Amino acid sequence: MTFTIAGAMPRKKYTESSFGERLQNLRKSRGLTQVQLAEAAATTQRAVSYYETEAGFPPAPAIISLAQALQVSTDELLGLKPPKAVPAEDDPEARRQWKRFQMIATLPERDQKAVVRLIHSLVAGSSLRKNTSTQTGDRHGR
């Protein structure tokens, strides 16, 4: 029986969907530095760098804190679901609106449902006015 020993261990190849790349992409898409993310997640910049460079995988409580700080689900952070799109940094108005929308997620569930009901009623009212104006032949919606 013959044994051969490799000269070196093969390097682990990370795909684009590796945890570290996902973490870094999410952080950058939200316009955060490692220090800002670390403060928001109650950890250190060194830990964020460690996770981003694939030197180590964070423990479960750190994953939860990072997901909350990045305003994504843990499923999105872990790559089980695709992350929600974020407006480009060169579109400040879209980013402002996106941030306002993301603030809804921080509300209690009861208030979130109230916001959804309000949006549904506004959309329904808008489509009702649109249908009424087209039936009367008024093109300006008055």
Side-chain angles (χ1 to χ4, degrees), residues 63-80:
I63 291 172
I64 294 167
S65 295
L66 289 167
Q68 288 173 339
L70 293 166
Q71 297 180 336
V72 297
S73 69
T74 52
D75 284 352
E76 291 169 307
L77 184 57
L78 293 170
L80 300 173

Side-chain angles (χ1 to χ4, degrees), residues 68-107:
Q68 288 173 339
L70 293 166
Q71 297 180 336
V72 297
S73 69
T74 52
D75 284 352
E76 291 169 307
L77 184 57
L78 293 170
L80 300 173
K81 288 184 180 178
K84 296 176 187 96
V86 178
E89 288 188 34
D90 60 349
D91 189 351
E93 181 57 28
R95 284 188 74 80
R96 242 187 325 278
Q97 289 176 1
W98 179 82
K99 285 182 180 181
R100 284 186 196 138
F101 186 75
Q102 290 298 311
M103 288 172 46
I104 294 170
T106 64
L107 296 172

Side-chain angles (χ1 to χ4, degrees), residues 8 23 53 67 71 79 81 93 98 121-122 135 142:
L23 178 61
T53 59
Q71 297 180 336
K81 288 184 180 178
E93 181 57 28
W98 179 82
S121 65
L122 291 171
Q135 289 173 356
R142 292 184 216 159

Side-chain angles (χ1 to χ4, degrees), residues 6 36 118 131:
Q36 291 168 326
L118 175 63
N131 290 339

Side-chain angles (χ1 to χ4, degrees), residues 4-19:
T4 58
I5 299 175
M9 291 291 295
R11 296 193 84 170
K12 186 174 180 182
K13 294 181 182 176
Y14 295 100
T15 63
E16 285 187 344
S17 63
S18 70
F19 179 82

